Amino acid sequence: MRILGIDPGTATTGYGVIEVDGDASIKLIKFGWISTDKKLEANLRLKSIYQQMLRLLKEVTPDVVAIEKLFFYNNAKTAMKVSEAMGVLRLAAVQMGVKIAEYAPLKIKSVVINNGRAKKEEMKKAVYQLLGAKAPEKKKTHFDDAADALGVAICHAKLCFQRERR
């Protein structure tokens, strides 16, 4: 099964693609980010996210897209913008006929590293240990988004494997 994990955002949407075999071994396919120009108006940023997502879906042909659910902070304005980005990401997946699964950050961290309250650094370390993925020298801040996306994909893979074993 090929899983495309997504950590949604308007400036940067992280993605990570993994493949899982019947024995639950996880293989890293690729990771990166969808970026938009902060100078563009909101509608054009959403269009860019949508178009880049469509290209990514065509390139990696996932069986499922696993998306991190929005976790509300104090800034409602930011949450609304991220929700809009999630909408176009989901639309692209649906248009390509790809199933969607959503997971809350607490669930992802609980499944991946057995600690729902883990910090970002702990998640990055777990992703590195499981997949060998590490930040490119000049994109360390963007790698946080890609590591989170890989965490979402790993979470989906582990939960699917647990369901199959029952």
Side-chain angles (χ1 to χ4, degrees):
M1 169 175 44
R2 186 169 279 203
I3 305 165
L4 169 58
I6 297 289
D7 178 32
T10 52
T12 306
T13 290
Y15 70 82
V17 183
I18 62 172
E19 210 159 75
V20 185
D21 293 327
D23 64 352
S25 63
I26 299 173
K27 177 183 171 188
L28 175 64
I29 303 301
K30 75 180 292 182
F31 66 88
W33 35 90
I34 293 170
S35 298
T36 61
D37 185 343
K38 293 178 183 181
K39 295 174 188 168
L40 288 177
E41 69 173 72
N43 292 333
L44 294 177
R45 290 178 88 176
L46 292 171
K47 179 182 177 184
S48 177
I49 292 167
Y50 172 75
Q51 290 171 332
Q52 290 180 68
M53 180 66 167
L54 280 177
R55 280 193 296 276
L56 180 62
L57 288 163
K58 288 174 185 173
E59 177 190 340
V60 302
T61 61
D63 298 300
V64 64
V65 172
I67 301 177
E68 182 173 344
K69 282 184 183 177
L70 183 59
F71 182 77
F72 283 92
Y73 285 95
N74 296 331
N75 190 338
K77 188 176 177 182
T78 300
M80 288 174 63
K81 288 180 181 179
V82 174
S83 291
E84 291 173 344
M86 287 178 70
V88 298
L89 291 162
R90 292 169 66 167
L91 174 61
V94 168
Q95 282 191 325
M96 295 296 293
V98 181
K99 292 183 271 184
I100 299 170
E102 289 185 301
Y103 300 99
L106 185 83
K107 180 70 170 179
I108 296 163
K109 293 173 185 178
S110 294
V111 171
V112 176
I113 53 180
N114 298 318
N115 178 2
R117 303 281 179 212
K119 305 282 186 230
K120 268 200 181 291
E121 288 303 315
E122 293 173 88
M123 182 61 90
K124 284 195 296 190
K125 184 178 177 181
V127 166
Y128 175 74
Q129 288 174 338
L130 285 166
L131 302 173
K134 62 181 181 177
E137 279 307 309
K138 296 189 180 198
K139 296 287 187 177
K140 289 193 185 294
T141 56
H142 287 30
F143 182 70
D144 288 354
D145 300 311
D148 286 350
L150 286 166
V152 180
I154 292 165
C155 173
H156 183 76
K158 287 186 170 199
L159 290 173
C160 286
F161 185 70
Q162 288 174 2
R163 280 184 225 122
E164 287 176 10
R165 290 179 43 200
R166 290 182 190 155

